Amino acid sequence: MKHVSILVPRGQVILSSVVGAFKVFGAVNNYLKMTGAQSDDFFRIDLVGLDDERQLYNGLFSIKTTKKIEEVEKTDLIIVTTITGDLEEGIADNKDFMPWLRNQHLQNGAEIASLCTGAFLLAETGLMDGKSCSTHWISASDFERMFPKVKLESEKIICEDNGIYSSGGAYSFLNLILHLVEKHTGKEAALWAAKLFEIEYGRDNQNHFVIFQGQKEHLDDPIRQAQNFIESNFKEKLNVEALAEKFAISRRNFIRRFKKATSNTPLEYIQRVKVEAAKKQLETSGKNINEVMFEIGYSDDKAFRNLFRKYTGLTPNEYKSKYNLEANFIS
């Protein structure tokens, strides 16, 4: 038997992350009893919070907790659910969880899994320092800025590091729940749950969902100008030396400032802008792969395909097959 504590944080909580985790663990309990593997619930589930009840979505929904943290002396697995809105404010609202989380992991050996942006709450405890972590791609730059000691691997759906787990964005948290089910009860139960809830089993990369947004929320104006120049001239042959000279910054200083401001080197930024343009062409046009390649300023087929796969996790053909609007239109 495993005691599972599904956290109900304060602030703007994503209801689906609480309900989704609760339903999958509950369904696995039923499956194990149905197959005779267990006579009682394997996962004993509590909704654990700082309050008796949380109002969500301007009072349209509410969640009643089954226990407060002071009532849970020992637990085996903690699910840190998803928060949204102002993440720094969300951390402040939930600061009272932090000592309890640290104690449960360090003193009692509890495993802890964060779902999506729940990683911000878990990282605030310091338990992720030096460990690998994933979160929603849309919040990756904020996470890197706020938690530089954590090894962010934002392309991953699941990260696991010595009893600390994290998931990628949004509903990919269900893949992490399945991973935990498989770890504790076996693959058969996890596959059954995947089929029941129609979750794509074994998905391990979220890069093809990423929409590159340019990371311009910084105060370095010359670097922002360089970003705008790259985005307006990505079809041209751009190089770091010419960009540094254009904005009257030494090459070494330009690279350092660019990386600090955007979390990308200038070359990575150029590549990501080109790939984002290629993705849009593959989604919305009838152009073939070579036409798209030339459109974004590449002439080397192998280099383009390797670059595309690096930033999306898919080949250009695979991406077009998945996301081309005309090809996937259902009449």
Side-chain angles (χ1 to χ4, degrees):
M1 181 181 292
K2 294 286 182 183
H3 183 263
V4 180
S5 297
I6 301 175
L7 295 198
V8 182
R10 287 173 172 163
Q12 298 186 51
V13 183
I14 299 296
L15 179 62
S16 59
S17 66
V18 179
V19 176
F22 182 86
K23 288 186 70 174
V24 174
F25 285 126
V28 171
N29 280 339
N30 292 335
Y31 173 78
L32 294 174
K33 286 186 282 187
M34 179 178 67
T35 58
Q38 289 282 134
S39 58
D40 203 351
D41 288 345
F42 181 83
F43 294 110
R44 187 161 52 90
I45 308 164
D46 275 305
L47 302 183
V48 179
L50 301 168
D51 311 293
D52 292 325
E53 185 176 336
R54 292 300 305 148
Q55 296 290 323
L56 306 176
Y57 302 101
N58 297 318
L60 291 174
F61 300 95
S62 65
I63 301 179
K64 291 183 178 180
T65 56
T66 58
K67 288 186 178 178
K68 293 184 180 179
I69 55 171
E70 58 267 23
E71 299 176 87
V72 182
E73 293 183 6
K74 189 177 188 306
T75 189
D76 300 300
L77 174 61
I78 301 168
I79 307 297
V80 182
T81 51
T82 309
I83 59 172
T84 188
D86 186 320
L87 295 172
E88 294 191 32
E89 187 177 297
I91 290 170
D93 287 342
N94 291 284
K95 65 181 186 303
D96 292 339
F97 275 117
M98 306 307 168
W100 182 80
L101 288 167
R102 284 192 291 268
N103 181 68
Q104 289 295 332
H105 180 69
L106 297 174
Q107 303 302 320
N108 296 333
E111 296 182 311
I112 307 180
S114 67
L115 310 183
C116 188
T117 51
F120 283 75
L121 297 182
L122 183 50
E124 183 67 15
T125 66
L127 294 172
M128 279 186 165
D129 288 357
K131 293 183 170 65
S132 298
C133 171
S134 189
T135 189
H136 199 299
W137 57 263
I138 204 167
S139 302
S141 58
D142 286 335
F143 190 92
E144 286 184 311
R145 172 179 57 82
M146 293 169 64
F147 303 107
K149 294 181 181 179
V150 181
K151 299 174 184 176
L152 183 64
E153 298 187 49
S154 58
E155 77 282 0
K156 290 189 175 180
I157 296 292
I158 297 169
C159 280
E160 177 180 352
D161 199 328
N162 293 314
I164 298 291
Y165 305 83
S166 55
S167 78
Y171 286 90
S172 69
F173 79 81
L174 291 167
N175 294 92
L176 175 53
I177 299 300
L178 289 180
H179 178 76
L180 294 168
V181 167
E182 180 177 343
K183 177 174 181 180
H184 291 294
T185 68
K187 191 168 186 176
E188 185 178 323
L191 283 171
W192 178 86
K195 292 176 181 178
L196 177 67
F197 292 102
E198 300 194 22
I199 304 166
E200 186 180 349
Y201 192 79
R203 191 159 60 91
D204 61 1
N205 191 296
Q206 65 175 343
N207 268 354
H208 56 282
F209 295 110
V210 174
I211 302 170
F212 184 59
Q213 297 179 307
Q215 300 143 308
K216 294 179 182 175
E217 295 179 1
H218 58 81
L219 301 177
D220 196 329
D221 190 58
I223 296 303
R224 189 180 298 105
Q225 291 178 41
Q227 291 173 263
N228 291 333
F229 182 83
I230 291 168
E231 290 165 16
S232 298
N233 298 275
F234 67 88
K235 296 180 183 180
E236 309 300 325
K237 288 187 177 180
L238 301 173
N239 63 74
V240 177
E241 289 78 5
L243 284 169
E245 184 177 347
K246 179 176 179 61
F247 293 97
I249 306 172
S250 71
R251 182 182 184 279
R252 182 177 179 182
N253 202 27
F254 180 73
I255 294 172
R256 179 187 62 79
R257 286 170 58 178
F258 203 102
K259 175 74 172 177
K260 181 180 179 182
T262 72
S263 300
N264 291 275
T265 66
L267 178 59
E268 288 169 342
Y269 198 90
I270 293 166
Q271 291 174 336
R272 295 189 69 170
V273 168
K274 285 178 177 288
V275 168
E276 196 63 30
K279 285 164 59 181
K280 289 178 182 177
Q281 291 280 356
L282 293 171
E283 290 166 13
T284 60
S285 77
K287 295 176 181 177
N288 63 39
I289 305 304
N290 282 339
E291 288 174 320
V292 171
M293 177 182 73
F294 292 130
E295 182 75 16
I296 66 165
Y298 274 89
S299 56
D300 185 325
D301 178 77
K302 184 178 179 181
F304 169 65
R305 291 173 189 274
N306 287 342
L307 181 72
F308 194 91
R309 189 172 192 117
K310 173 183 176 182
Y311 288 111
T312 69
L314 300 172
T315 66
N317 277 320
E318 288 170 337
Y319 189 89
K320 184 174 184 178
S321 178
K322 263 183 177 290
Y323 295 113
N324 183 266
L325 298 177
E326 185 175 337
N328 290 289
F329 179 76
I330 301 175
S331 59

